[in-house]
Amino acid sequence: TSARISTIRRARSPSSGTIPTWPSTGRSIPRTLTHAQVTDSYLVTVAMENGGKLATLDRDLSTRFADHCVLIR
């Protein structure tokens, strides 16, 4: 169990180089329509602000933000 926790901590650690981390942003995307889309819009905004794209399984999200998302099939 402690080996698992240690592995998770390393994976979450920005210094491990495993998972890139981006700083948060205060901007929001005005195309947010419902409370269900708030998190999606936030994640797209963070990706945009850092020159990246959000990988998603959500076809609607990838259509709404086509320039900033990559649909995983």
Side-chain angles (χ1 to χ4, degrees), residues 22-32 40-55 61 64-70:
W22 289 330
S24 180
T25 177
R27 292 180 50 182
S28 64
I29 296 175
R31 292 182 277 180
T32 301
D40 292 340
S41 295
Y42 173 77
L43 293 172
V44 169
T45 303
V46 171
M48 281 175 34
E49 290 290 312
N50 291 281
K53 290 193 175 201
L54 178 66
L61 176 66
R64 264 186 296 130
F65 301 106
D67 294 341
H68 307 292
C69 290
V70 175

Side-chain angles (χ1 to χ4, degrees), residues 4-49:
R4 277 187 179 170
I5 292 171
S6 178
T7 301
I8 292 169
R9 283 188 182 141
R10 274 196 313 276
R12 288 184 176 176
S13 168
S15 63
S16 71
T18 311
I19 300 173
T21 58
W22 289 330
S24 180
T25 177
R27 292 180 50 182
S28 64
I29 296 175
R31 292 182 277 180
T32 301
L33 303 174
T34 67
H35 69 280
Q37 296 168 331
V38 171
T39 301
D40 292 340
S41 295
Y42 173 77
L43 293 172
V44 169
T45 303
V46 171
M48 281 175 34
E49 290 290 312

